[in-house]
Amino acid sequence: MSDPIITMRGIRTQFGPKVIHDGLDLDVMRGEILGIVGGSGTGKSVLLRSIVGLLTPAAGQITVKGIDVHRASGREHALLGRSLGVMFQDGALFSTLTVRENVEVPMRRLDLPAGVRSELADLKISMAGLPWDAGGKYPSELSGGMRKRAGLARALALDPELVFLDEPTAGLDPIGASEFDRLIRGLTDTLGLTVFLVTHDLDTLHACCDRIAVLAEKRVLATGSIDQLRRIDHPWVHEYFNGPRARAAMEQTARKDD
């Protein structure tokens, strides 16, 4: 396995008296799609936001590409900013901007002519699987699945090495979710991305992820493949990876492989 591109050691996250993570350790390996799962309140999205610098843990250290995220200099923050792309739930697009203008937002920190920004935005929109005319539309004119693809296009705007996806298939119908899973896997393989993927979707875990990290008891309880996690003797982990929905996802994956 390759070297870690993200390392987390001794992470403690809390909001007032409520402790979300306590002594959390995790490595994300370069080039992998790592799925993050856990029950409600285990802080999956909180962990994502901590890695990208939007939240500061009460204790511990997070390094990305060897840079301490929460002690970085201004120059180091700028370098990290170009290396990371983030897609939040439902795309989190600016409602008053067109899709093309939304994708251009990260590019505005670069000294690029407006015409070049527009052409690059159209390229990212196409890479995300949107039709040619989507760039001129506003988020309110798009379906939920198209908004997610637009959010992915914006996450790819600066050709990042690392992409963070927060529940990318939530709310999509099974066909739309399956298409998005294939898109993520294809882009990762083609562009050599590392993907940190927060999800509760078992189909996505089967279709996309190289490894899975389980958040429970305020830490990373276990990491591994689905087969490895199915053998762990923990109530939540056992139910999640061996319950009826897990069996259905496994059967669907088996049918696709036949």
Side-chain angles (χ1 to χ4, degrees):
M1 185 173 288
S2 63
D3 295 332
I5 191 170
I6 301 173
T7 62
M8 288 163 267
R9 294 292 182 268
I11 302 303
R12 180 181 176 90
T13 312
Q14 64 185 98
F15 301 99
K18 185 174 178 60
V19 178
I20 308 299
H21 305 130
D22 193 11
L24 183 150
D25 296 334
L26 180 64
D27 289 335
V28 182
M29 302 303 175
R30 190 179 299 273
E32 76 173 343
I33 300 180
L34 179 68
I36 307 296
V37 302
S40 178
T42 54
K44 301 181 293 295
S45 296
V46 168
L47 188 61
L48 183 156
R49 291 172 179 269
S50 298
I51 298 171
V52 301
L54 295 177
L55 292 173
T56 301
Q61 183 183 53
I62 300 174
T63 62
V64 178
K65 297 178 61 180
I67 297 174
D68 188 323
V69 173
H70 300 285
R71 296 176 179 82
S73 66
R75 179 177 177 276
E76 288 173 328
H77 270 300
L79 289 172
L80 280 181
R82 292 198 58 177
S83 299
L84 311 181
V86 185
M87 176 191 152
F88 296 107
Q89 292 187 37
D90 199 36
L93 302 171
F94 297 106
S95 61
T96 59
L97 302 181
T98 65
V99 170
R100 183 180 296 107
E101 290 168 339
N102 266 282
V103 177
E104 287 183 31
V105 167
M107 301 179 192
R108 293 185 180 278
R109 70 184 73 170
L110 307 178
D111 186 20
L112 294 174
V116 173
R117 286 201 310 266
S118 180
E119 290 178 5
L120 288 173
D122 285 343
L123 174 62
K124 305 303 181 181
I125 290 167
S126 176
M127 289 170 61
L130 287 168
W132 67 270
D133 61 343
K137 294 183 178 181
Y138 289 90
S140 61
E141 300 176 281
L142 305 178
S143 67
M146 292 178 72
R147 284 196 297 274
K148 287 179 181 290
R149 288 174 183 265
L152 178 60
R154 187 174 62 187
L156 297 172
L158 298 180
D159 297 325
E161 295 177 58
L162 275 154
V163 175
F164 296 81
L165 306 177
D166 193 358
E167 298 283 5
T169 58
L172 298 183
D173 62 75
I175 293 175
S178 180
E179 290 175 347
F180 205 94
D181 290 340
R182 288 195 296 271
L183 176 64
I184 294 169
R185 184 75 259 180
L187 287 172
T188 300
D189 293 342
T190 301
L191 302 177
L193 303 174
T194 301
V195 178
F196 185 96
L197 192 159
V198 173
T199 187
H200 66 276
D201 192 329
L202 282 155
D203 291 330
T204 294
L205 296 177
H206 279 277
C208 291
C209 296
D210 300 300
R211 261 191 332 139
I212 300 162
V214 179
L215 298 190
E217 302 173 8
K218 302 178 183 178
R219 60 191 175 90
V220 174
L221 184 72
T223 61
S225 67
I226 289 178
D227 285 342
Q228 291 170 328
L229 296 175
R230 289 181 67 227
R231 296 192 290 270
I232 290 178
D233 185 19
H234 182 278
W236 189 90
V237 178
H238 180 80
E239 177 60 26
Y240 188 84
F241 289 101
N242 293 280
R245 292 182 62 195
R247 290 195 295 271
M250 289 180 65
E251 290 169 3
Q252 180 174 326
T253 301
R255 287 196 296 271
K256 289 179 180 177
D257 291 340
D258 289 341

